[in-house]
Amino acid sequence: MKNNCHLELKLSEDLLRKLLYISAAENRTPSAQFAFMLRNNISYFEKTKGRIPESELRALDISDYQE
């Protein structure tokens, strides 16, 4: 089972409107669309800069974001 985490996000009105527009066009909720775009961005980052080491990911404290 996936553990969900919570992240507060502040966007300009323009970015929010564009996110809502794209979400509707792609038949996703804004949250699902944001997660989709984030996964694509992470994939691009790892393709251009190298895979993020699992040991470094595990060392990050995510306790403030867990539900």
Side-chain angles (χ1 to χ4, degrees), residues 2-9 11 15-16 18-24 26-40 67:
K2 291 183 180 180
N3 292 333
N4 290 322
C5 298
H6 178 81
L7 178 68
E8 184 176 330
L9 180 66
L11 301 173
L15 280 178
L16 176 58
K18 289 180 180 183
L19 174 62
L20 295 174
Y21 181 90
I22 294 168
S23 299
E26 299 289 328
N27 295 312
R28 293 187 181 98
T29 64
S31 181
Q33 183 65 36
F34 186 79
F36 173 79
M37 293 187 301
L38 185 56
R39 282 191 301 273
N40 284 343
E67 294 182 335

Side-chain angles (χ1 to χ4, degrees), residues 14-63:
D14 186 52
L15 280 178
L16 176 58
R17 290 179 192 281
K18 289 180 180 183
L19 174 62
L20 295 174
Y21 181 90
I22 294 168
S23 299
E26 299 289 328
N27 295 312
R28 293 187 181 98
T29 64
S31 181
Q33 183 65 36
F34 186 79
F36 173 79
M37 293 187 301
L38 185 56
R39 282 191 301 273
N40 284 343
N41 186 263
I42 291 168
S43 178
Y44 175 78
F45 179 94
E46 289 189 323
K47 283 179 186 172
T48 60
K49 302 191 186 302
R51 189 149 176 85
I52 301 169
E54 189 67 30
S55 60
E56 290 190 34
L57 293 176
R58 297 236 178 260
L60 295 170
D61 179 12
I62 61 170
S63 59

